[in-house]
């Protein structure tokens, strides 16, 4: 068994050990695409075989779509990455208080350097009743407005890395406000449709959806009403591989400038950043690592019932997506196995 085959087998084993019933591993290497699907969409008689179009929740992998939406809008002249976020929020909304002369800019939100906390103030209180299933579901727009009024940024924006669901969620809200469209509709118009992504969406809908599981227990669909840009995107393996292929060769997409812009390193990451190692860099949301002379771009994501990994290497024209319908394990084996497929592919 070669390195890629071994890594794929390890990913499937890791997902199975975490109670997944459906696993998709999609690989583009040596000019060939392959989407391998394992298992069924859930347990019970209503479950169907997992296919390349079976939709999985992507969790924080959604943030890469938000970054691309940002650069796509910038390329159209609708906004600038250096624009302060305060000017893009609704006029009657409060803005985070910043204890410095530097405002929070869109670029800060897309690089986790805004100074905003990981979660909005007040979210934990609403999340606790559904912590193991749908912790964001009760955090609606009214609560987001209240959170903004309670938020104070004490460090100078742009100075320090601090991973923030709140920040990227707020970025999506600002983009939607500028375009006067809901985030999901805006993403479809500016990114999903131009890239030809057929099964990718921000909401549960008709079609072959996998059922998420946590410790073997089926879960309802994930809802994140106030912060969809941070974790609401859903996609199948075929669509996700198509999305990654666009990053390898942006020229035919109509989003070439935007796709290149999300890949430009912006800052060096501390070794404690999620999924990072000393020397890693952050682009717009995407992590960047130099490994044996190769540039690897990657990100992972998870909801309570799903785990996702995606990565690509432009020099080798390699892309990998790994999806499982089980929540992230503490040991992170499935995500690491997805990363190992990326390292092995194309060699």
């Amino acid at each position: 068994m070669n390195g890629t085959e071994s890594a794929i087998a390890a990913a499937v084993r890791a997902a199975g050990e975490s109670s997944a019933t459906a696993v998709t591993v999609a690989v583009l290497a040596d000019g060939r695409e392959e989407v391998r699907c394992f298992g069924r969409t859930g347990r019970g008689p209503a479950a169907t075989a997992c296919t390349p179009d079976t939709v999985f929740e992507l969790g924080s992998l959604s943030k890469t779509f938000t970054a691309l939406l940002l650069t796509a809008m910038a390329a159209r002249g609708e906004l600038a990455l250096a624009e302060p976020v305060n000017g893009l929020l609704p006029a009657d909304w409060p803005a985070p208080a910043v204890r410095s002369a530097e405002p929070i800019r869109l670029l800060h939100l897309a690089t986790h350097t805004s100074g905003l906390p990981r979660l909005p103030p007040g979210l934990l209180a609403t999340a606790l009743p559904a912590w193991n299933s749908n912790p964001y579901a009760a955090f609606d727009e009214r609560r987001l407005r209240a959170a903004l009024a309670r938020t104070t940024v004490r460090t100078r924006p742009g100075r320090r890395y601090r991973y923030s669901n709140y920040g990227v969620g707020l970025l999506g809200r600002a983009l939607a406000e500028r375009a006067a469209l809901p985030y999901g509709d805006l993403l479809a118009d500016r990114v999903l449709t131009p890239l030809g992504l057929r099964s990718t969406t921000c909401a549960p809908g008709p079609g072959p959806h996998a059922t998420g599981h946590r410790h073997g227990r089926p879960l309802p669909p994930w809802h994140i009403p106030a912060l969809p840009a941070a974790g609401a995107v859903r996609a199948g393996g075929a669509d996700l591989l198509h999305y990654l292929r666009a990053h390898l060769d942006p020229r035919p997409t109509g989003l070439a400038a935007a796709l290149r812009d999300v890949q430009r390193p912006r800052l060096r990451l501390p070794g404690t950043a999620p999924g990072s190692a000393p020397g890693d860099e952050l682009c717009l949301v995407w992590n960047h690592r130099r490994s044996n002379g190769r540039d690897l771009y990657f990100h992972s994501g998870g909801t309570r019932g799903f785990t996702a990994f995606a990565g690509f290497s432009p020099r080798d024209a390699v892309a990998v997506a790994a999806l499982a319908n089980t929540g992230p394990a503490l040991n992170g084996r499935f995500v690491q196995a997805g990363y190992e497929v990326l390292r092995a592919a194309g060699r």
Side-chain angles (χ1 to χ4, degrees):
M1 182 180 288
N2 65 33
T4 304
E5 294 291 338
S6 177
I8 291 173
V12 175
R13 284 197 303 272
E17 290 166 5
S18 296
S19 76
T21 68
V23 181
T24 293
V25 180
V27 179
L28 167 62
D30 301 321
R32 295 182 294 109
E33 294 185 11
E34 186 173 9
V35 183
R36 298 194 188 182
C37 303
F38 306 86
R40 299 176 67 77
T41 55
R43 294 180 170 86
T48 59
C50 181
T51 74
D53 292 325
T54 297
V55 172
F56 295 72
E57 295 168 359
L58 303 185
S60 284
L61 190 52
S62 305
K63 294 179 174 68
T64 68
F65 286 81
T66 302
L68 183 55
L69 176 59
L70 169 63
T71 57
M73 293 180 69
R76 291 164 59 109
E78 295 178 280
L79 46 74
L81 270 63
E83 198 165 336
V85 69
N86 288 8
L88 279 78
L89 296 177
D92 59 341
W93 278 37
V98 181
R99 292 186 177 177
S100 81
E102 172 68 11
I104 298 173
R105 304 181 188 275
L106 300 181
L107 177 63
H108 299 148
L109 297 173
T111 54
H112 299 293
T113 58
S114 66
L116 292 173
R118 185 182 185 95
L119 299 174
L123 185 139
L124 288 177
T126 64
L128 285 176
W131 186 253
N132 291 322
S133 59
N134 234 324
Y136 287 88
F139 193 79
D140 56 15
E141 185 172 291
R142 178 180 63 83
R143 290 187 166 96
L144 175 58
R145 292 179 65 175
L148 288 167
R150 295 173 54 190
T151 300
T152 299
V153 173
R154 293 176 170 80
T155 59
R156 183 179 184 273
R159 182 178 180 184
R160 183 181 303 169
Y161 173 91
R162 186 184 190 186
Y163 188 88
S164 178
N165 288 332
Y166 186 14
V168 180
L170 185 61
L171 171 62
R173 177 66 205 219
L175 301 180
E177 191 66 22
R178 172 56 57 87
L181 286 171
Y183 173 81
D185 293 345
L186 177 61
L187 184 68
D189 182 71
R190 301 292 200 277
V191 172
L192 306 183
T193 299
L195 293 183
L197 303 182
R198 298 177 295 107
S199 68
T200 306
T201 178
C202 283
H209 283 68
T211 298
H213 290 80
R214 178 178 171 84
H215 304 309
R217 181 170 62 91
L219 297 179
W222 182 255
H223 289 285
I224 182 167
L227 302 169
V233 178
R234 297 155 160 83
D239 252 21
L240 197 50
L241 192 61
H242 189 84
Y243 171 68
L244 296 174
R245 186 173 70 235
H247 289 72
L248 297 176
D249 185 9
R251 292 170 297 177
T253 66
L255 296 176
L259 285 158
R260 293 188 182 101
D261 209 13
V262 295
Q263 299 178 48
R264 184 160 66 86
R266 309 282 174 157
L267 61 104
R268 190 165 297 278
L269 286 169
T272 56
S276 75
D280 283 1
E281 295 176 306
L282 189 71
C283 305
L284 294 183
V285 172
W286 287 103
N287 296 292
H288 170 251
R289 178 176 298 167
R290 288 286 293 173
S291 176
N292 297 322
R294 304 168 74 199
D295 289 296
L296 304 181
Y297 297 82
F298 58 95
H299 206 285
S300 63
T303 64
R304 285 295 183 263
F306 290 84
T307 307
F309 171 87
F312 58 96
S313 174
R315 191 197 75 175
D316 304 306
V318 164
V320 169
L323 304 166
N325 68 334
T326 186
L330 290 176
N331 60 21
R333 284 187 56 209
F334 181 74
V335 168
Q336 182 60 36
Y339 177 76
E340 294 301 328
V341 177
L342 175 62
R343 288 187 61 200
R347 288 186 174 180

